[in-house]
Amino acid sequence: MKLWIKLTCIVLSSTLAALCVCLFIFTAWQSEQIISGSEAQTMDSLELFCSNFKSLSAAAGVSDSQAANRSAAQYYFAEYDRLMGGGDYYSLAQDGQYLYNACPYDPKSLLTLPPEVELSYETEAEYFEQLQQSRQSCRTVFGTFELDGYRIVAAKRVRVLEQDYAVYITADVTAAHRQVREIKIMSAVMLIISVLTALLITIPLVRRTLKPMESLRRTAESIAGGEYSLRAQVQSGDEVAELARSFNHMADAVEARIEALTEESERRRLLLGALAHELKTPVTAVIGFADSLIKMPLSEEQKRHCAGQILSAGQRTERMAQKLMLLLSIDGGAAPEKKPFVLEPFAEELRRQYGSRVQITAAGEMTGDRDLLLSLTQNLINNALNASDAGGGVIVTLSETEIKVADSGRGIAQEHINRLTEPFYRVDKARSRRHGGAGLGLALCRAIAEAHGGRLIIQSTPGCGTTVTAALPQNLQLDCNLLTSR
Amino acid sequence: MSRILVVEDDFAISDLITMNLQVCGYECDAAFDGLQALAAAEHTAYDLALLDVMLPEMDGFELIWHMRKRSIPVIFISAKSDVADRIRGLRLGAEDYIVKPFDILEVLVRIEKVISRAHPARRVYTVHGVTIDEENRTVSADGAPVELKPMEFSLMLTLVRHPGVVFTREQLLSSVWGDSFFGETRTVDVHIAALRKKLGWTNVIQTVFRIGYRFCREEIRG
């Protein structure tokens, strides 16, 4: 079940329960009020009637004859009843006999409960005593009956002209009961209206409250669908907003990670593309020359030439593979083994290799991977020599914090400098290949410099020469690394 | 003999192409970038230019315009194998577009076709005692005319034009019957047998074990 339906159900059922209790109490209380009001009114009417009947009869004066007295009472009762009129019926009885009864019912037997029981009495005093006993009502004897409408029948003992009489009132309380029924119906209608109103208010409110959830869900789905830059909107300060905030944190992390991965894979893809392209050239040469050896009528000299070309293409591929593997191993985060070494023997090694065209000055000692740094320096010197025409010198300066290689060759145009360290990037494709370059030298140099916490700085003026500096900070942090690694 | 300009920035590939062209008797000049190629075309009337597409200074697609201005037919030899590049190259007016790594014989045959299309010179020559009239497509052995079927004649021409070169059956099939012909390589064997018999070339057309056939070298008299 959807959350909004659940919430609506919860709110509605609690509202309904509270409302039911309230309405029940209200209805019960109101009914009680009305019923007891009508009863009290009936009693009052009976009381008034009796007292007036009494005083009217008193005017006649007491006669010696009991029959005369009874007739007088009967006469005055009838007179007074006619005078009163109205919807209530009054009856007069004595010793179980009606003296006057204008009412279509039999109030005497109605009051007798249960009606089957015959009360045995001689006088009115006994009758009332027995009635009160059976009805357990202390003051006045009465009951409510459903006849053609609701009727209250009440009886009262009256002593008129020295004789006891029973006076009955049969009052119409249908109106009061109808009122009670109306109140009950009204309550039920109110209950239904309240529920409907609550529904109308609760559903949109709950849905509005849960709307951020829905938008959060949509955002999550969009992000899952690849739109990593999307974020959930945080509007209020409630739990949903907190969830959205956490969600956004997660999305940030995911996006950053994915960006990094995409960048990395893009870099790898470019590298692979460049590699495939670079491989195609020597492979074309190998296939072509081998094919020629098989199929073409070549002279001995030409055959040797072919073999030589195949060899050099193979060597070129091998060199490239080696450099690439080195580059990948450095790029892959394998930390170089850093050890201090004295620079002078290092320089001597290079002097032996390159001879007089390269002037090397060195002082102090350097901390780092000696083999990698040697490879870096060799690569830079090779580049410098290739850039200089025959006779141009190369000046190498080795110090504690940098390896600097300067030439006075062709120089490099500004627009190439930023891309120089990309693998396989070449300013002059033909020239570089002719020198046997794999297009990886500077990429390797940068990787080595960065692995040592430094960077490669290339300064160049076209026509005047190029200076490449590998700045290698020999700072405290590096020394700390050294200590921990030991 | 035809003169061909090879424009290729890679030394090894350039060397490969020139060497093979020279073996086949073409005169070759090599240029290593666009400007060199332009300068070379300025001075010499070439019969054909083989252009790489990616060249320093000026790329092949630009260079072809200058070549066409001097009515030098162009074949592209490029590592760019995209259909879009090939279509562009051919649209620009190249006679052919060969993708690296290429088969050297394929290159030779394609060059052959372009040159013969551009220079339909009347050629009659005798080789191994057989006189061939390329224009009339007639053959006579020791003065007596020999009846060759059209495919036999084409096959003979392909072999005769590249003396010493070893052709595979597949290459002969595609160069004589065309790329669209999906015949069996046995068809080639049948035609070779017919040629050997009709022209008395039993030893002239040699079978190279596991590879194909070769036409024995002899001085061609024009």
Side-chain angles (χ1 to χ4, degrees):
Chain A
M1 206 197 279
K2 291 267 189 185
L3 188 56
W4 73 267
I5 298 177
K6 282 186 192 171
L7 283 178
T8 310
C9 285
I10 291 170
V11 170
L12 272 188
S13 52
S14 51
T15 314
L16 199 62
L19 214 59
C20 275
V21 171
C22 286
L23 280 176
F24 179 77
I25 292 170
F26 171 76
T27 311
W29 175 71
Q30 199 66 16
S31 306
E32 174 64 28
Q33 288 281 307
I34 291 166
I35 295 297
S36 61
S38 69
E39 280 167 4
Q41 201 189 346
T42 310
M43 292 311 149
D44 288 349
S45 300
L46 183 60
E47 207 67 51
L48 183 68
F49 189 94
C50 286
S51 72
N52 283 344
F53 168 52
K54 234 172 169 172
S55 47
L56 271 175
S57 306
V62 181
S63 153
D64 294 336
S65 157
Q66 284 208 352
N69 280 338
R70 192 184 299 139
S71 299
Q74 197 176 4
Y75 169 74
Y76 282 112
F77 189 91
E79 279 299 299
Y80 186 57
D81 183 35
R82 256 196 298 282
L83 198 73
M84 286 286 286
D88 299 343
Y89 301 108
Y90 294 93
S91 314
L92 183 69
Q94 188 179 43
D95 306 336
Q97 298 292 313
Y98 284 113
L99 295 178
Y100 177 89
N101 186 15
C103 136
Y105 319 109
D106 183 3
K108 188 158 63 72
S109 56
L110 280 174
L111 266 184
T112 312
L113 271 188
E116 309 84 53
V117 179
E118 275 293 314
L119 299 177
S120 58
Y121 53 89
E122 291 292 311
T123 61
E124 293 312 311
E126 280 174 37
Y127 169 67
F128 274 94
E129 203 172 302
Q130 286 177 20
L131 256 190
Q132 275 170 352
Q133 268 171 12
S134 75
R135 292 207 152 252
Q136 298 180 333
S137 167
C138 47
R139 201 167 60 94
T140 322
V141 180
F142 73 93
T144 306
F145 305 95
E146 206 175 337
L147 302 163
D148 58 338
Y150 285 92
R151 304 275 168 179
I152 290 181
V153 180
K156 188 173 166 63
R157 191 170 62 133
V158 182
R159 195 171 176 81
V160 173
L161 303 173
E162 297 182 339
Q163 281 184 44
D164 278 337
Y165 297 94
V167 176
Y168 297 94
I169 181 168
T170 309
D172 187 356
V173 289
T174 313
H177 279 270
R178 199 188 298 130
Q179 214 178 336
V180 167
R181 212 177 58 236
E182 276 168 9
I183 284 175
K184 283 178 180 163
I185 292 169
M186 270 307 289
S187 299
V189 170
M190 270 161 67
L191 193 68
I192 292 166
I193 290 175
S194 306
V195 167
L196 287 180
T197 316
L199 261 179
L200 282 180
I201 295 171
T202 314
I203 291 177
L205 274 183
V206 167
R207 299 198 76 159
R208 220 182 111 187
T209 313
L210 293 181
K211 210 173 185 153
M213 291 278 247
E214 173 61 17
S215 94
L216 191 61
R217 187 187 64 77
R218 271 201 301 273
T219 312
E221 267 173 19
S222 300
I223 290 178
E227 291 176 60
Y228 298 108
S229 57
L230 270 189
R231 288 295 175 271
Q233 286 177 335
V234 182
Q235 282 152 339
S236 51
D238 59 6
E239 285 90 338
V240 178
E242 277 169 31
L243 180 63
R245 215 167 289 132
S246 308
F247 176 83
N248 282 347
H249 280 314
M250 184 194 73
D252 283 341
V254 168
E255 193 190 7
R257 186 88 189 108
I258 280 177
E259 251 172 39
L261 282 178
T262 313
E263 220 168 81
E264 175 67 18
S265 85
E266 179 63 17
R267 225 156 52 86
R268 286 279 148 97
R269 202 182 64 77
L270 286 178
L271 183 66
L272 268 184
L275 177 67
H277 181 77
E278 288 298 317
L279 273 180
K280 211 164 179 180
T281 312
V283 164
T284 305
V286 167
I287 292 174
F289 282 108
D291 205 29
S292 304
L293 275 175
I294 295 172
K295 293 174 183 166
M296 302 301 287
L298 302 177
S299 65
E300 274 308 306
E301 192 196 339
Q302 282 170 324
K303 282 179 186 170
R304 242 195 316 280
H305 179 70
C306 280
Q309 288 284 13
I310 290 172
L311 183 67
S312 77
Q315 284 169 338
R316 198 157 101 191
T317 316
E318 158 71 10
R319 253 199 317 277
M320 194 158 74
Q322 258 179 11
K323 282 198 178 176
L324 198 66
M325 275 164 71
L326 186 57
L327 181 66
L328 285 179
S329 77
I330 297 171
D331 243 6
E337 200 184 331
K338 287 167 187 156
K339 277 182 187 163
F341 59 91
V342 184
L343 280 171
E344 190 46 47
F346 184 84
E348 193 51 43
E349 206 169 309
L350 290 168
R351 276 188 207 112
R352 270 204 306 279
Q353 187 182 347
Y354 291 102
S356 61
R357 273 190 75 187
V358 182
Q359 289 178 12
I360 305 174
T361 49
E365 60 177 39
M366 183 178 258
T367 304
D369 186 316
R370 192 178 190 277
D371 291 342
L372 287 182
L373 290 174
L374 186 67
S375 166
L376 182 151
T377 318
Q378 282 168 339
N379 269 305
L380 292 182
I381 293 174
N382 288 339
N383 283 346
L385 286 174
N386 289 342
S388 320
D389 297 321
V394 174
I395 297 161
V396 179
T397 318
L398 303 171
S399 73
E400 280 177 7
T401 54
E402 61 177 30
I403 296 169
K404 195 192 226 170
V405 178
D407 66 62
S408 50
R410 275 189 309 280
I412 306 153
Q414 196 62 41
E415 72 258 28
H416 294 301
I417 287 184
N418 287 335
R419 299 192 56 198
L420 267 183
T421 53
E422 286 174 24
F424 302 115
Y425 185 82
R426 289 190 174 111
V427 178
D428 183 348
K429 192 172 72 156
R431 181 179 278 267
S432 161
R433 288 230 192 91
R434 235 161 282 165
H435 289 296
L440 287 169
L442 278 173
L444 199 57
C445 290
R446 186 180 72 163
I448 293 172
E450 283 174 0
H452 283 82
R455 60 208 182 90
L456 207 64
I457 305 157
I458 303 170
Q459 295 160 306
S460 186
T461 317
C464 295
T466 308
T467 304
V468 183
T469 312
L472 306 167
Q474 305 280 309
N475 54 20
L476 280 173
Q477 201 191 341
L478 208 81
D479 292 339
C480 287
N481 285 341
L482 197 70
L483 285 173
T484 50
S485 73
R486 275 175 188 171
Chain B
M1 206 68 229
S2 304
R3 239 183 132 81
I4 299 177
L5 176 64
V6 178
V7 189
E8 164 64 58
D9 64 330
D10 190 278
F11 269 20
I13 306 293
S14 175
D15 191 47
L16 173 70
I17 297 171
T18 12
M19 185 189 78
N20 282 303
L21 289 180
Q22 278 160 0
V23 168
C24 289
Y26 295 103
E27 281 180 54
C28 275
D29 288 326
F32 301 105
D33 62 45
L35 295 181
Q36 277 181 25
L38 212 53
E42 201 79 44
H43 297 115
T44 320
Y46 289 102
D47 296 304
L48 179 68
L50 296 179
L51 299 187
D52 191 0
V53 173
M54 287 178 292
L55 286 170
E57 314 296 345
M58 184 188 286
D59 74 11
F61 289 146
E62 200 178 334
L63 208 51
I64 187 175
W65 188 75
H66 297 280
M67 294 298 164
R68 282 170 57 82
K69 220 165 53 180
R70 294 174 175 76
S71 40
I72 299 172
V74 165
I75 295 178
F76 278 118
I77 298 184
S78 173
K80 296 177 90 164
S81 56
D82 301 359
V83 177
D85 284 317
R86 289 155 80 150
I87 288 174
R88 188 176 168 204
L90 294 172
R91 279 248 171 90
L92 285 170
E95 303 290 330
D96 217 330
Y97 192 106
I98 300 168
V99 175
K100 287 181 193 171
F102 49 78
D103 186 298
I104 190 66
L105 286 181
E106 187 191 346
V107 175
L108 290 174
V109 171
R110 286 179 190 232
I111 289 173
E112 176 85 23
K113 288 205 163 161
V114 170
I115 286 183
S116 67
R117 205 155 48 213
H119 305 282
R122 177 189 167 82
R123 296 187 68 193
V124 180
Y125 50 84
T126 305
V127 59
H128 287 292
V130 175
T131 308
I132 299 165
D133 184 338
E134 282 193 16
E135 197 185 20
N136 296 323
R137 296 176 76 83
T138 55
V139 182
S140 52
D142 302 324
V146 177
E147 275 298 314
L148 288 187
K149 290 179 193 164
M151 288 307 170
E152 288 170 354
F153 188 83
S154 302
L155 180 63
M156 182 200 68
L157 272 190
T158 305
L159 290 167
V160 168
R161 278 175 182 170
H162 305 99
V165 172
V166 183
F167 285 94
T168 64
R169 289 175 177 81
E170 286 81 5
Q171 280 163 343
L172 289 172
L173 204 60
S174 73
S175 85
V176 174
W177 278 269
D179 286 330
S180 56
F181 184 79
F182 294 103
E184 287 187 37
T185 48
R186 265 195 52 77
T187 318
V188 177
D189 298 335
V190 171
H191 283 75
I192 293 281
L195 279 181
R196 280 175 175 162
K197 200 178 163 197
K198 287 180 180 173
L199 301 171
W201 278 358
T202 317
N203 295 319
V204 174
I205 301 175
Q206 294 175 334
T207 305
V208 181
F209 183 60
R210 277 189 166 170
I211 298 179
Y213 296 103
R214 171 167 59 197
F215 181 74
C216 250
R217 200 180 268 280
E218 197 223 44
E219 199 59 40
I220 299 174
R221 292 179 290 271

